Amino acid sequence: MGGYHVLAARGHPKPDPWCFLLPLSPVVWATLLMALLAVCSVMLLLPFSLPAHAQEPGSVDANTFNCVRILLQEDIKRTNSRWWWERVMLGVWMLMMVVLTQSFVGNLMSLLAVRYIDQPYQRLEDILDNSDVGIILVQNTLIIHYLKTAKSGPLRELGNVMDTARLAYRSFAELPQSLETIVRDGSHVVFDMDIIYNHLLPRSFSLTGTCNFYMSRSNYLTTPLSMLAQKNSPFMPRLNQLAYTLVESGVYDKWAKFSHPNSSTCKNPPIIITVTSAFSLSNLWGMFVVLGCGFAVAVVVLVMEQMCGGAKWREKGQVETHDKHTTITPTSDDALHQY
C-alpha cells in the first residue's frame, strides 16, 4: 500500500522561550488550584466547629493567607494556633510545594537545553492555507487525474490551483535537483507517493549527511501497489501467489529497505534535539517577560493600595475632627437628674 504525502524542508533548530511552562501542563495547574482551594476551605471551615471562646482572633485568616504565600514561594507569618490539625495542614501543604518546586526546577534545566525543529506542514490544508508556498507535482502521473475529478475536500482545493503559478510540474528525473534547490529553501513542497520519497530521501542523505526533509503525517489516496499483466493472462494466478508470498514473508519490505543506502535513516527524523551551549536571551526572554509583567502588576496594586489607604485615612481624620467640634446639649430630664 502506498499513499501521497507532503514532502517539505525541515526547519532549523531553535530554542523555545516559553519552555518553562511545559513542566506544568494545564491539568497540573488545575489540580494545583483545586488542592489550594481544598486546603483553604478546610482551614476556613474547621474553626467554625469549635467554640467561639476557643478561636484565636485572626488565626483563621492568617493560616489561609499562609497557604497562598507558600504557593507563591514567600515567607509566612508564624502561626500561634493552639490546634495541632492547623499546623499539620500547613506542614503538609508546605511539603507538597517543596516537591512540586524541585520537580519544576529539575525539568526546567533540562528543557532549556532543548532545541525544536519546526515541521509546520503536516496536512495538505496547511499548504493550501499558505499562498506563498509553491507545490510540485510529478507530471503524467495518476494524481493529475484525481485532482481534476475530485469533487470536494483538500484534493478539490488542490485541483483548483492546478492552472495557477503555485503549481509546478516536474519529471521524476528532475525531482532530485528541485529537492536540493527550491524545496530546500522552503519556497516549494512536493506532493507525491511515499515510494518516490523512499528513493529521494536516502539519496539526499548520502550527499549531505543530514536529514533536511520530512514527510507529513497525513497521507492521501492510499493506493495498493500491484503488478500488471495482460487481461486473462495464464500467469495471473502465479503472479498473485508470488505477490502474496513476497509481502507476507517480509521479503518485499526487506528489498525496499536495502534497495538504497541509508533508506531508513530519514524516515522519522527527530523534531527535538539536545544541545550543550551557554544560555542566552533567546532562551530566557519568556521568563523575563513574565517577571516584568509580575513587577508591573505589583506596582499597580501598590499604587492602588496607597491611593485607597490615603483616602481612607483622610476620611477617618475628617470624622475625628468633626467629632471633636460636636457639642452635646443636655435635655431637661438630664438637667433635672443632675439637679
Side-chain angles (χ1 to χ4, degrees):
M1 303 297 293
Y4 284 80
H5 295 256
V6 174
L7 181 70
R10 302 179 71 205
H12 299 287
K14 57 183 180 180
D16 184 4
W18 302 103
C19 65
F20 64 93
L21 297 175
L22 297 178
L24 298 182
S25 63
V27 177
V28 177
W29 282 109
T31 306
L32 181 63
L33 295 179
M34 291 177 60
L36 175 62
L37 182 61
V39 172
C40 292
S41 300
V42 172
M43 302 290 279
L44 285 173
L45 296 177
L46 283 182
F48 288 99
S49 62
L50 302 175
H53 64 275
Q55 302 180 22
E56 296 184 2
S59 62
V60 176
D61 296 337
N63 291 335
T64 305
F65 192 57
N66 280 340
C67 295
V68 180
R69 294 175 67 90
I70 291 173
L71 176 63
L72 300 178
Q73 301 296 303
E74 297 179 355
D75 59 335
I76 63 175
K77 296 181 179 180
R78 182 179 179 182
T79 175
N80 295 321
S81 176
R82 70 183 70 175
W83 303 104
W84 62 269
W85 58 265
E86 293 182 352
R87 295 192 295 271
V88 170
M89 290 288 296
L90 202 61
V92 171
W93 179 249
M94 188 180 298
L95 183 60
M96 291 175 56
M97 291 303 101
V98 169
V99 174
L100 184 67
T101 303
Q102 295 302 316
S103 301
F104 178 83
V105 171
N107 291 330
L108 178 62
M109 296 304 295
S110 301
L111 289 171
L112 290 176
V114 170
R115 297 292 183 272
Y116 295 87
I117 301 176
D118 192 20
Q119 297 183 1
Y121 305 124
Q122 297 295 340
R123 302 179 304 159
L124 190 56
E125 292 87 337
D126 299 333
I127 302 296
L128 298 173
D129 293 339
N130 189 353
S131 59
D132 297 331
V133 179
I135 305 171
I136 297 177
L137 295 179
V138 178
Q139 59 189 7
N140 301 325
T141 55
L142 187 62
I143 186 64
I144 306 298
H145 171 74
Y146 275 115
L147 296 180
K148 290 181 179 179
T149 58
K151 301 299 182 181
S152 61
L155 295 180
R156 174 68 268 174
E157 298 179 17
L158 182 58
N160 294 334
V161 301
M162 289 184 64
D163 298 329
T164 64
R166 290 190 61 187
L167 215 60
Y169 295 96
R170 296 289 188 273
S171 65
F172 179 76
E174 295 173 336
L175 277 183
Q177 181 182 2
S178 300
L179 206 67
E180 299 299 332
T181 53
I182 58 178
V183 177
R184 181 187 290 272
D185 62 16
S187 61
H188 287 72
V189 299
V190 182
F191 186 64
D192 211 326
M193 293 194 71
D194 50 5
I195 58 174
I196 303 299
Y197 303 148
N198 293 339
H199 170 74
L200 296 177
L201 295 181
R203 181 182 181 277
S204 175
F205 181 81
S206 300
L207 292 175
T208 61
T210 57
C211 296
N212 300 311
F213 308 97
Y214 70 96
M215 289 194 310
S216 64
R217 289 189 294 267
S218 300
N219 64 83
Y220 305 86
L221 293 177
T222 303
T223 307
L225 307 178
S226 60
M227 294 184 291
L228 299 180
Q230 188 178 5
K231 188 176 181 180
N232 299 323
S233 171
F235 297 103
M236 188 59 68
R238 182 58 180 169
L239 289 176
N240 289 335
Q241 183 181 359
L242 178 61
Y244 289 142
T245 303
L246 291 177
V247 174
E248 293 175 356
S249 62
V251 175
Y252 174 80
D253 294 334
K254 199 172 188 66
W255 283 351
K257 180 178 180 180
F258 292 102
S259 59
H260 302 283
N262 305 313
S263 60
S264 60
T265 304
C266 297
K267 277 286 187 179
N268 296 298
I271 62 175
I272 298 176
I273 61 174
T274 304
V275 299
T276 303
S277 62
F279 292 147
S280 62
L281 189 60
S282 61
N283 301 75
L284 307 175
W285 68 265
M287 288 188 288
F288 285 113
V289 169
V290 175
L291 182 63
C293 293
F295 284 149
V297 172
V299 170
V300 171
V301 173
L302 179 62
V303 172
M304 293 178 62
E305 286 182 349
Q306 294 296 327
M307 295 175 60
C308 296
K312 182 177 180 180
W313 281 107
R314 287 193 297 269
E315 181 181 355
K316 183 178 179 180
Q318 292 176 359
V319 172
E320 292 179 352
T321 303
H322 183 268
D323 292 341
K324 290 180 180 179
H325 291 84
T326 301
T327 57
I328 301 175
T329 303
T331 60
S332 58
D333 293 338
D334 293 337
L336 180 60
H337 182 271
Q338 291 178 0
Y339 177 76

